[in-house]
Amino acid sequence: MTMTDITKTAALFLALNLIAFPIYFLDKQAARNGGWRISERSLLTLALIGGSLGALAAQQILRHKTKKEPFRSILAAILILHGALATMLALAPLWAPRLHLDF
């Protein structure tokens, strides 16, 4: 993975997190005002595809869906998954020399 690829990937995840926060904000406003809501499935899908940190930040700062189960647990699981994936990607260069892949 080149530095350009890493930069593009980081920019994509930053964008997804910056998008997630205002979407959670819009749903919180709709909840307060009795307006049209964004489905939990859509909110969690946004978190799953890369907006998990923005979703968590919105949940904590806006106090949105902090007591709603299973939403909280699913969001926590997504964060754990993303943390594990990030750790694996960070450690991959260390593992590569130890892998003997002969195809």
Side-chain angles (χ1 to χ4, degrees), residues 15-74:
L16 286 168
N17 284 288
L18 290 174
I19 291 168
F21 193 95
I23 289 175
Y24 274 67
F25 174 78
L26 291 172
D27 188 53
K28 177 68 173 187
Q29 291 299 103
R32 286 182 178 160
N33 300 328
W36 178 81
R37 302 288 305 275
I38 299 168
S39 72
E40 287 185 2
R41 179 184 210 138
S42 295
L43 294 173
L44 289 170
T45 299
L46 180 59
L48 181 64
I49 63 170
S52 59
L53 293 176
L56 179 66
Q59 185 185 43
Q60 297 303 310
I61 292 169
L62 303 172
R63 306 295 300 158
H64 188 48
K65 297 195 177 287
T66 55
K67 296 179 182 176
K68 180 85 173 178
E69 285 295 345
F71 188 91
R72 274 180 9 160
S73 298
I74 295 171

Side-chain angles (χ1 to χ4, degrees), residues 76-89:
I78 291 170
L79 283 160
I80 292 167
L81 172 68
H82 285 174
L85 290 172
T87 301
M88 287 173 48
L89 285 173

